[in-house]
Amino acid sequence: MDLNLLFNLANLFVLPFWLLMIFLPNWGFTQKIMKSYLLFLPLIFLYIYLFITGLNPDSIEVLSNPQLVDLAKVFSDPTITFAGWVHFLVLDLFLGRYIYQQGQTEKIWTIHSLILCLFAGPMGFLSHIITRTIQLNIINKKDLEVTI
């Protein structure tokens, strides 16, 4: 199987979901599709395939007691690197979905956090935490004070 083709397909696979969450967050189709876990299954199965085919006794030993230098050597194998990349794709998309859903539920502005999450998941999550804290604790308090 051509790993480069699969790599490109995996990267393309996640883009529609990100584009829907970022540019069409209130569209009924976006809301419906983002409620499902099914969107993760193709990448999860790809990850399992890469994980199984990439493992060998040496990589299993390194992964069972990881040391930075040894991990760097294991990740020099394209199959292991690709498995790691798919791991990032799945978890970043899952985190983006969480940010999106919380934004929908709590009416929080999420576009900047989703864009950050697409490229750097943990920074997007931090952005969301900060935005949510500001919006729920400062802006919503002002709205409450005005109505009282």
Side-chain angles (χ1 to χ4, degrees):
M1 196 167 289
D2 183 3
L3 286 183
N4 286 319
L5 176 61
L6 279 177
F7 179 80
N8 291 331
L9 289 174
N11 284 314
L12 290 173
F13 177 80
V14 299
L15 282 180
F17 303 113
W18 285 106
L19 293 173
L20 287 170
M21 289 188 292
I22 292 167
F23 296 111
L24 298 169
N26 297 316
W27 187 29
F29 180 74
T30 304
Q31 293 170 344
K32 183 178 180 177
I33 200 163
M34 297 317 294
K35 287 180 183 175
S36 175
Y37 289 109
L38 295 177
L39 62 112
F40 296 102
L41 290 180
L43 289 176
I44 291 170
F45 290 132
L46 176 59
Y47 175 79
I48 291 168
Y49 167 78
L50 294 167
F51 190 84
I52 291 170
T53 60
L55 288 180
N56 59 50
D58 293 333
S59 61
I60 292 171
E61 183 180 336
V62 169
L63 294 172
S64 67
N65 183 23
Q67 301 296 315
L68 185 57
V69 173
D70 296 332
L71 279 175
K73 290 177 188 171
V74 167
F75 276 93
S76 68
D77 177 326
T79 304
I80 299 290
T81 303
F82 186 13
W85 185 251
V86 171
H87 185 104
F88 285 133
L89 291 175
V90 170
L91 292 181
D92 284 354
L93 183 58
F94 186 82
L95 186 57
R97 179 181 169 269
Y98 171 80
I99 292 168
Y100 165 80
Q101 287 181 323
Q102 194 167 56
Q104 290 289 302
T105 302
E106 298 179 8
K107 304 298 182 220
I108 298 167
W109 190 59
T110 60
I111 188 170
H112 63 296
S113 298
L114 287 168
I115 291 169
L116 268 174
C117 194
L118 170 60
F119 295 104
M123 291 191 319
F125 189 42
L126 177 62
S127 170
H128 177 66
I129 291 168
I130 292 168
T131 302
R132 182 176 183 268
T133 301
I134 290 169
Q135 187 168 338
L136 294 180
N137 293 321
I138 296 172
I139 296 171
N140 288 350
K141 273 188 182 176
K142 286 182 182 177
D143 290 343
L144 182 62
E145 290 171 4
V146 169
T147 59
I148 293 177

